[in-house]
Amino acid sequence: MCTVLLRFNPGSPWPVLLAAVRDEYLARPWEPPAEHWPGRFGGRDSTGGGTWLAVDPARPGVNAVLNGFPPLPSQGDRPTRGALPLGTVPDDEVLRTFDAFHLVRAEPTEVEVISWNGGSIERRLLEPGDHVIVNQGIDVNDFAPLRLAATPNPKPGPATADAWGDWVGLLAGGEFTGAAERPILVRREVDGLEYGSGSAALIAIGEPGVRYDFTANPGPSAVWREIPLPGSL
């Protein structure tokens, strides 16, 4: 996961609204979102066995992991960061065995971001409001469409466009400004391999329940679908 857009408004009908884009080598195999782990719903990375984003309807909450920046130097085999969204956060000694990361843990009353950069571990509770999280860190960039997007009422059931309104457009394109300027959707060649935005997700956590929408072709022509969750039908 390389981008998380978050609106945190505790006490409102929808305290957590999250839009996320996964950037990865496009040839890397993965499985569509489902309950691949007991009680956890998300796409499964077929190589590492973990995930970039996990929804827990019972908690309720959502966890997402982003690669940290800069990448750590090669130092033998490290555990997959895809394990981090799936359970209890390990202690600091174990966290230091991973490559650099930002782990977003969001629930109705609290949003925490745990960051490891190879030198120190930082835990930060986010204030209510809009936040942009990228590889370089928290709120180092601005994304104007997020500030302008109306708050939706994404109760389970209606079609994605009807449920999410402006938030579908957040993941159709646009540019970040700030310390790490770039498009929100990327596509380029890295070491002869195609790298880009291969999927995107919209997550809502609130009084009406939990909603999870997913697309495997983010952009203006994205085809969205709601992922069935317990209690959402």
Side-chain angles (χ1 to χ4, degrees), residues 23-43:
D23 298 333
E24 182 56 88
Y25 288 103
L26 298 181
R28 183 171 177 131
W30 56 277
E31 300 166 53
E35 190 178 7
H36 296 293
W37 314 268
R40 305 293 191 276
F41 294 77

Side-chain angles (χ1 to χ4, degrees), residues 72 75 77-85 87-101 103 114-118 120-121 123:
L72 300 186
Q75 191 178 357
D77 291 334
R78 291 190 174 99
T80 173
R81 287 169 288 195
L84 292 171
T88 303
V89 178
D91 60 31
D92 286 4
E93 183 177 354
V94 175
L95 290 178
R96 291 188 180 96
T97 67
F98 288 85
D99 280 317
F101 66 82
L103 177 63
I114 303 172
S115 299
W116 160 240
N117 62 10
S120 62
I121 294 171
R123 288 173 167 81

Side-chain angles (χ1 to χ4, degrees), residues 155-167:
K155 61 183 180 180
T160 302
D162 295 331
W164 283 95
D166 291 349
W167 281 62

Side-chain angles (χ1 to χ4, degrees), residues 128-217:
D130 291 345
H131 298 278
V132 176
I133 306 160
V134 294
N135 304 117
Q136 287 82 357
I138 306 165
D139 295 332
V140 299
N141 275 358
D142 181 56
F143 191 62
L146 175 61
R147 290 186 281 106
L148 299 174
T151 297
N153 180 25
K155 61 183 180 180
T160 302
D162 295 331
W164 283 95
D166 291 349
W167 281 62
V168 173
L170 293 181
L171 301 181
E175 301 281 333
F176 287 119
T177 58
E181 295 183 359
R182 64 169 175 85
I184 189 171
L185 301 178
V186 300
R187 184 66 63 93
R188 62 180 182 269
E189 187 175 293
V190 178
D191 298 329
L193 299 173
E194 192 173 17
Y195 180 90
S197 303
S199 66
L202 292 163
I203 313 293
I205 300 170
E207 294 173 1
V210 179
R211 176 159 179 152
Y212 178 7
D213 291 75
F214 177 83
T215 180
N217 66 321

